[in-house]
Amino acid sequence: MENTGAIGTMTVPIFAGGGRIEYGVKDIPVPGPGQLLLKVKANALCGSDRGQFEHGTQVVPGHEAAGIVITAGAGTTTREGAHGVVFLMDFCRACRNCKSGFTNLCLHKRADYGFSHDGGYAPYMLVNENVFFEIDASLPMAEATMLLDIMGTGGHAIQRGLQVLPHIGSAVIAGAGPIGLGVLAMAKLLLGEETPVFIMDYNEYRLQLAERMGAVPVYLGRESVRERLDAMQFEGVDLAVDTSGRTVARQAALNCLNKPGALVCVGHGEELHLNVSGDLIATERTVLGSEYFRYQDLADNHERLLANLPYLKQIITHRFPQSKLQEAYELFFQGNTGKVIVEQ
C-alpha cells in the first residue's frame, strides 16, 4: 500500500517506548493510484495510544487526523485543497460486511491508520481515498477531529442502543474520559437535550466538564451510581454505556438497567459476568458491543457538528504543537483533561 517515492523529508515523532517521544526524519511519500497525500493540521490524542506511548512503535501514531489534500494520485476524484478527516479503518469495500454498510467490521481491512501505517502526528499522511471524508472548509481542523472518536464512536454506541430500544428516556455512562464525554454529547443530540444522562467516574475534573455539558455527575469516591439514582427517585435507566472497560463498571451499569434495558460495551478490556436467567431472560435486557463507527455516519455527524459546534467544542480542553507531543501525552494520561489536540 505504501508508495516508495518521496518528494522531500519531514520531521516526525518517534515513540521510542518507556513513555519517551523523540524526533527523526522520514521521507514525504508520493501518492500512488487511488491515494491522497494530506498535510495534517490536527490530530487528537486517544487513550488507545497508551500502548504505543509505553512500549514504542515503528509507525508514526495518530488515528484521529484532520488535514488538507496536497496531492491526489491517479484515479482519484478528490480535489486538491479539500479539507477532511481520516476514517481509522481502511475498509475494502468488497467484502460482505462493507457491501452491507458495516465498514467498521470490514473482513479484509487494509490498514488501521496510526497503528499499522503512519498516522496523524506526521506532518504529511498518505491514505487511500476511500477513508477520506471531505468537510466544510469553514470548520476548524481541531474541531473537525471530533467527527471521529468523539462523535463517531459516541454516536454509534447510542445508535446501537436504539436498535433494540426505540424509546430511550434515560441513560448511564460508565467513564467520563473523552469517549464517555462523546457518548454524553451524542446522547443529548440524538435522544434529546432533556434526556437525563448520568455519568460516573472518580475524576472530578472530567465530571465537572460533563456536568457543564448537561450530565448528572456521579462522583464514585463519594457515592455509587445506584445511590445517586435512588436519591433522584430513578428506579433505573433504559440505556447504559460502558466506556471504561472495567468489570466493576460494567456490572454496576448492568445493575442500573430498567426491564427491558440495554447495556452497550464500548471500552475494551475486562470482563462482564452474567446470570443469564436473571440478567437477560427474566428482564429482557440486551448486552451489545459497539466497535468504532461506520464511514457513512460521518455525513450526518458533519451536519450535527456544524449545527452544534459551541456545545461540542467544550470537549476540547487543551491544544499543543507537534513539538510538545511529549508534554501533551503526559498531561493527558494524568487524567485532568478532556480531549487534547495536537495542531500543526
Side-chain angles (χ1 to χ4, degrees):
M1 178 180 162
E2 294 284 359
N3 189 296
T4 57
I7 55 174
T9 60
M10 57 182 174
T11 300
V12 300
I14 297 171
F15 283 53
R20 291 181 297 107
I21 296 176
E22 302 168 355
Y23 287 86
V25 175
K26 277 195 172 187
D27 289 336
I28 300 172
V30 175
Q35 294 182 322
L36 304 174
L37 180 66
L38 309 183
K39 176 69 181 79
V40 180
K41 304 301 292 183
N43 194 98
L45 275 66
C46 179
S48 58
D49 302 337
R50 185 183 289 274
Q52 293 172 306
F53 183 67
E54 293 180 349
H55 305 298
T57 176
Q58 296 299 309
V59 303
V60 179
H63 62 273
E64 297 182 48
I68 301 172
V69 176
I70 299 299
T71 309
T76 58
T77 59
T78 303
R79 62 184 178 84
E80 294 180 1
H83 293 210
V85 296
V86 178
F87 187 76
L88 164 65
M89 302 173 178
D90 189 357
F91 52 95
C92 73
R93 296 178 287 183
C95 71
R96 72 170 187 270
N97 282 355
C98 285
K99 289 180 177 179
S100 299
F102 300 111
T103 49
N104 57 325
L105 300 175
C106 174
L107 298 173
H108 304 295
K109 186 171 55 173
R110 298 173 295 196
D112 279 329
Y113 290 102
F115 293 103
S116 64
H117 294 69
D118 286 347
Y121 294 132
Y124 296 89
M125 183 178 179
L126 185 68
V127 301
N128 279 339
E129 184 182 36
N130 60 292
V131 299
F132 180 78
F133 178 81
E134 186 170 353
I135 62 172
D136 191 301
S138 69
L139 188 60
M141 286 294 190
E143 282 74 5
T145 64
M146 289 192 294
L147 287 167
L148 302 168
D149 282 17
I150 293 295
M151 297 182 71
T153 302
H156 187 61
I158 301 299
Q159 295 286 8
R160 290 284 285 152
L162 287 168
Q163 288 177 347
V164 296
L165 293 174
H167 305 290
I168 296 175
S170 54
V172 159
I173 301 168
I179 296 298
L181 294 171
V183 173
L184 163 62
M186 294 305 288
K188 292 293 185 176
L189 295 181
L190 294 173
L191 304 178
E193 183 180 354
E194 72 288 349
T195 304
V197 179
F198 299 82
I199 189 165
M200 53 176 163
D201 206 299
Y202 288 93
N203 186 301
E204 294 199 15
Y205 178 98
R206 288 176 168 171
L207 286 173
Q208 288 168 3
L209 176 54
E211 186 173 21
R212 293 196 296 272
M213 295 183 65
V216 179
V218 180
Y219 295 84
L220 292 176
R222 304 174 193 167
E223 63 180 347
S224 69
V225 66
R226 181 70 264 169
E227 289 169 335
R228 170 50 51 186
L229 291 172
D230 289 344
M232 295 183 63
Q233 298 183 325
F234 276 77
E235 182 176 339
V237 295
D238 297 327
L239 176 68
V241 181
D242 174 60
T243 69
S244 72
R246 302 290 187 182
T247 296
V248 64
R250 289 179 180 150
Q251 299 293 157
L254 178 69
N255 293 336
C256 287
L257 288 177
N258 285 325
K259 308 171 187 179
L263 168 64
V264 179
C265 297
V266 178
H268 290 272
E270 298 176 6
E271 301 173 339
L272 174 65
H273 304 289
L274 293 170
N275 178 312
V276 173
S277 293
D279 291 332
L280 299 182
I281 297 175
T283 58
E284 290 201 352
R285 290 170 175 162
T286 305
V287 178
L288 305 118
S290 184
E291 171 70 348
Y292 199 50
F293 64 98
R294 305 176 307 161
Y295 176 86
Q296 55 267 40
D297 295 340
L298 285 164
D300 287 342
N301 284 337
H302 180 249
E303 296 307 309
R304 292 187 184 102
L305 181 55
L306 289 170
N308 299 278
L309 187 58
Y311 173 68
L312 288 160
K313 71 186 297 182
Q314 296 178 88
I315 297 174
I316 299 174
T317 58
H318 297 79
R319 301 167 191 249
F320 290 86
Q322 189 230 45
S323 61
K324 294 189 176 180
L325 191 54
Q326 177 85 43
E327 182 181 342
Y329 268 103
E330 289 174 356
L331 177 66
F332 180 62
F333 287 135
Q334 287 172 9
N336 287 336
T337 71
K339 202 64 171 170
V340 177
I341 307 292
V342 167
E343 297 177 297
Q344 302 193 59

